[in-house]
Amino acid sequence: MMTNTDNQSSVLTKSIHNIVVAGETGVGKSSLINLVTGSNGAQTANDVCGVTIGTTCYDWEFNNTQTFRLWDTPGLGEGSCGTVSPKRAQDALRSLLTELNKASGVHLLIFCMRGAPRVTKGVKQTYDIILKIRDKVSPEVQVVAVVTELEKKSTPLDIVSSMEEWWKSNLDGLSEHDMEFSGHACITTLTDDCHPRVQGRRDLCQQLVRELIIDRSLPSRDVPSKDLHIMLFGETGVGKSSLINLLAGWQIAEVSPDTVACTLDSKEYQFQLGPTTIRLWDTVGLEEPEKGPNGYVGAIEKAIQLIRRLNATGGISLFLFCVRGNRITATTQSNYRLFYEVLGKKEVPVALAVTHLEREVEMEDWWCRNAKTLERIGIISAGHACITTLEGHQKYQQSREVIQSLLSQYDDQWRFSMPSEAWIGRFLKGLGSLVDKSFPRGKDLIRILTKRCHLDADVAQRVAACIDG
């Protein structure tokens, strides 16, 4: 079933404002985004290391005429032992600002900082890093400050003014460090029932930040935005993580050649390419599970989790099939069939990304030599990119331009999806036909679906009947 993802008239009339939230690790950037959007979409954690490892956007709709798109970024200044290295965090911010600037623009930069007793050198260093990147990419964008963790300063009699005292007390420190802002908000992101309890505090803090964003954002450009949902698949070791980094423009995905992953295991990434927001699921294709029914339990679990996530987000726009230029195997063919024929019912286009071609004089020559062979073994693509993902290679930038050009050809208007139960049944039946006869069926499958995958017994029985039918 192909679904229209947007009302086109509303897309054209609703203005988009890109709001980038940056700051040190642990200052509450994700919590701030949840406060503004009125949801819990951004993952938060009270850990020493940062929880945000990529750039992710969350929308706040205002008056049905404006969309404020808040971009969460990795924490700066985490150190070499953190979740995201300082270089990767800076690369992520630089890449995001660059790509947004190519499209609808950057409309406001929020510097999120903790309400510590005084302004430290570390805060100043983080501020300087952000401003240096801003000045090179989007110098016209205003920077505002949001000071968090001021709940202990809030009083029931005058919530706003009591937290505003932090700003008044630290004006001299900000001035000494040459930290200038176009506006500010002093807040807490905690709920009203957190200590100290103050009724109505969260609503007031939300109002403060929202008003700051509306007042200080640059006017939006009349550039229609796009969303492209891509499922990237291929065998382990073909270079999917390196391909994601090539696309994103920074090391958003960890490259781990020795990682042992389960079939259908997936990880979601989100980044910007010009006017298009890319939502990409890096998915492990068919591997070699242990023999016997229990060897496929993990794959079944992952398949059901993946289908539920796809349905929740509106479906798939494009399959991106990653293959090594020097290795087309029987498993390569099975993976193509599993995703294109089974998961997408032959309705989702497949684009090929052929990697490890750095030794070719002209990388496109590989396609000229091998296109007919691929067609003969049943691998038909709607487009292709012959590339290298070897960072630092002289053909790396050319490869980025080639793969971006390929993705720009696909419209985001249509996505494929099916009702979850039917989609799960269809996919597991197809998976079972592509692997050995030990794939679980009947009672074994029902047990896995109910005990491990937490499906209702009736649903599990219908899915099992579909597979056996």
Side-chain angles (χ1 to χ4, degrees):
M1 175 177 66
M2 305 299 286
T3 58
N4 194 324
T5 60
D6 293 297
N7 182 310
Q8 294 300 306
S9 61
S10 66
V11 169
L12 294 175
T13 57
K14 190 176 293 186
S15 60
I16 303 291
H17 300 263
N18 290 305
I19 315 299
V20 177
V21 183
E24 292 181 287
T25 298
V27 296
K29 298 186 299 297
S30 300
S31 297
L32 172 62
I33 288 173
N34 288 337
L35 175 73
V36 175
T37 59
S39 69
N40 292 312
Q43 184 182 359
T44 61
N46 188 25
D47 293 336
V48 173
C49 294
V51 69
T52 302
I53 61 172
T55 54
T56 310
C57 68
Y58 304 89
D59 288 353
W60 163 45
E61 306 291 339
F62 178 67
N63 283 348
N64 270 336
T65 59
Q66 300 180 80
T67 297
F68 290 91
R69 186 157 287 172
L70 285 87
W71 289 88
D72 198 1
T73 60
L76 296 160
E78 194 170 335
S80 59
C81 297
T83 308
V84 179
S85 70
K87 182 181 184 302
R88 283 181 60 195
Q90 292 176 40
D91 287 347
L93 180 60
R94 186 180 299 106
S95 176
L96 175 62
L97 294 181
T98 300
E99 292 299 332
L100 289 175
N101 202 44
K102 290 178 184 176
S104 52
V106 181
H107 302 92
L108 185 66
L109 188 55
I110 296 178
F111 178 66
C112 189
M113 57 191 290
R114 186 184 292 109
R118 61 184 179 84
V119 180
T120 65
K121 289 184 179 180
V123 173
K124 164 64 173 171
Q125 289 171 354
T126 303
Y127 172 86
D128 287 345
I129 290 170
I130 293 171
L131 240 63
K132 184 177 180 181
I133 294 172
R134 190 281 310 257
D135 290 346
K136 285 188 176 181
V137 180
S138 302
E140 73 284 359
V141 176
Q142 298 187 65
V143 180
V144 297
V146 174
V147 186
T148 62
E149 298 187 13
L150 295 177
E151 56 275 358
K152 291 183 179 179
K153 292 186 176 292
S154 63
T155 61
L157 294 178
D158 197 342
I159 300 171
V160 175
S161 295
S162 58
M163 290 190 291
E164 181 67 16
E165 282 298 320
W166 184 94
W167 191 263
K168 294 177 181 179
S169 301
N170 285 275
L171 268 176
D172 289 343
L174 292 168
S175 179
E176 288 172 9
H177 287 296
D178 295 322
M179 296 174 66
E180 298 181 356
F181 300 96
S182 300
H184 72 273
C186 293
I187 63 159
T188 176
T189 59
L190 296 183
T191 56
D192 293 349
D193 56 354
C194 291
H195 181 77
R197 296 187 179 186
V198 179
Q199 191 66 31
R201 180 179 59 197
R202 186 173 176 84
D203 287 343
L204 280 172
C205 289
Q206 182 187 68
Q207 181 182 343
L208 277 175
V209 182
R210 285 181 171 182
E211 288 177 353
L212 178 67
I213 290 172
I214 293 169
D215 290 344
R216 298 300 177 180
S217 294
L218 294 175
S220 66
R221 302 177 191 170
D222 293 328
V223 178
S225 62
K226 295 175 61 176
D227 293 287
L228 191 60
H229 288 198
I230 300 173
M231 178 169 290
L232 171 66
F233 69 97
E235 299 168 71
T236 299
V238 296
K240 298 192 301 298
S241 297
S242 297
L243 174 58
I244 294 169
N245 294 336
L246 176 72
L247 272 169
W250 67 285
Q251 195 180 345
I252 189 174
E254 290 288 350
V255 180
S256 304
D258 298 326
T259 299
V260 178
C262 171
T263 299
L264 278 310
D265 197 3
S266 63
K267 186 171 184 179
E268 182 181 347
Y269 298 92
Q270 194 167 321
F271 49 90
Q272 196 75 13
L273 288 182
T276 305
T277 300
I278 301 292
R279 197 164 187 172
L280 182 147
W281 287 267
D282 179 11
T283 311
V284 179
L286 285 173
E287 303 295 332
E288 291 295 332
E290 297 175 7
K291 301 299 182 181
N294 291 332
Y296 294 98
V297 172
I300 293 171
E301 278 189 283
K302 298 298 182 182
I304 292 174
Q305 291 171 10
L306 177 61
I307 287 172
R308 283 173 169 166
R309 283 201 301 272
L310 291 174
N311 253 335
T313 54
I316 317 168
S317 311
L318 175 71
F319 285 129
L320 185 57
F321 188 14
C322 187
V323 298
R324 287 181 67 111
N326 60 350
R327 189 176 69 192
I328 304 296
T329 66
T331 305
T332 306
Q333 299 174 59
S334 295
N335 273 312
Y336 175 86
R337 291 183 57 198
L338 179 65
F339 285 86
Y340 176 61
E341 298 178 10
V342 179
L343 186 62
K345 286 184 66 178
K346 298 184 178 181
E347 296 182 35
V348 181
V350 180
L352 255 63
V354 187
T355 62
H356 294 81
L357 298 182
E358 52 274 1
R359 294 184 179 180
E360 295 277 346
V361 176
E362 295 292 336
M363 293 184 290
E364 185 64 20
D365 289 347
W366 185 95
W367 187 259
C368 297
R369 298 195 308 270
N370 293 280
K372 289 184 178 179
T373 301
L374 290 171
E375 188 173 345
R376 187 173 64 251
I377 62 177
I379 298 178
I380 311 297
S381 70
H384 71 275
C386 292
I387 59 173
T388 177
T389 58
L390 187 60
E391 190 172 1
H393 195 277
Q394 59 183 1
K395 297 176 182 177
Y396 190 81
Q397 182 57 35
Q398 174 192 346
S399 296
R400 186 164 195 249
E401 293 169 1
V402 168
I403 192 69
Q404 288 185 350
S405 176
L406 173 65
L407 298 188
S408 69
Q409 301 172 24
Y410 297 95
D411 195 349
D412 68 325
Q413 182 176 355
W414 300 103
R415 295 184 198 140
F416 174 83
S417 68
M418 288 178 63
S420 290
E421 183 179 325
W423 208 355
I424 291 169
R426 172 183 175 80
F427 189 71
L428 294 184
K429 183 175 183 177
L431 178 61
S433 69
L434 291 172
V435 297
D436 61 65
K437 294 180 180 179
S438 65
F439 188 83
R441 298 178 185 275
K443 292 182 179 179
D444 286 336
L445 180 58
I446 292 172
R447 176 180 53 79
I448 293 170
L449 294 176
T450 54
K451 300 295 185 183
R452 293 290 296 270
C453 304
H454 308 293
L455 294 185
D456 291 338
D458 291 344
V459 174
Q461 288 177 3
R462 288 195 296 270
V463 170
C466 171
I467 294 172
D468 292 331

